[in-house]
Amino acid sequence: MNIDTALKEAMSIAGAVGVALVDYESGMSLGTSGGGDWLNLELAAAGNTEVVRSKLRVMSTLALNDSIEDILITLHRQYHLIRLMNSMKTRSSLFLYLVLEREQANLALARHNLKRIEGELQV
């Protein structure tokens, strides 16, 4: 699936408010969907590149021989899910960033669907 289709699929996840495909090396979004006045996806995506970079630095310092599947940030009313792209079809510096309304979302299903989208996305 292409980027536009992947973003549409992610926005169909229950509780989805916004989604972005981001390159954490540059901090740039390759595409976004959703968001709105209170959620600037470009700014949030760029800010979350620092979260990913920081975690990767810590893993390197600890000499962990592993990879990140996803990073979850829980707020009182939202979930922010960062899914690193590890498939052979994509560059390794990409992640999907999904914002969910907590009351409407099923976190387990959201993670499952984001993993499926990651596996089908070709960049």
Side-chain angles (χ1 to χ4, degrees):
M1 93 175 49
N2 65 26
I3 293 172
D4 289 335
T5 304
L7 296 175
K8 286 177 187 171
E9 286 276 325
M11 284 301 294
S12 72
I13 295 171
V17 175
V19 63
L21 178 64
V22 187
D23 181 341
Y24 65 77
E25 288 180 350
S26 68
M28 300 294 292
S29 293
L30 280 68
T32 63
S33 183
D37 293 339
W38 61 271
L39 178 60
N40 181 331
L41 278 171
E42 293 287 337
L43 183 59
N48 279 299
T49 62
E50 293 304 317
V51 172
V52 173
R53 290 175 189 163
S54 177
K55 187 58 186 171
L56 290 171
R57 276 193 305 273
V58 169
M59 289 177 65
S60 177
T61 301
L62 295 173
L64 297 178
N65 187 20
D66 210 342
S67 60
I68 299 171
E69 273 188 44
D70 53 38
I71 298 169
L72 173 64
I73 300 167
T74 59
L75 306 177
H76 289 289
R77 292 186 292 262
Q78 297 174 350
Y79 293 124
H80 291 234
L81 188 56
I82 299 168
R83 174 85 191 178
L84 272 70
M85 305 291 288
N86 293 320
S87 75
M88 298 298 288
K89 298 178 233 170
T90 60
R91 295 193 321 240
S92 62
S93 64
L94 300 179
F95 67 89
L96 283 164
Y97 170 59
L98 178 65
V99 179
L100 300 161
E101 283 295 334
R102 193 171 179 156
E103 289 184 3
Q104 299 171 353
N106 179 319
L107 184 56
L109 284 175
R111 289 183 69 222
H112 175 75
N113 285 324
L114 213 53
K115 181 178 182 178
R116 179 187 54 77
I117 292 167
E118 174 218 349
E120 296 177 10
L121 178 60
Q122 295 185 14
V123 180

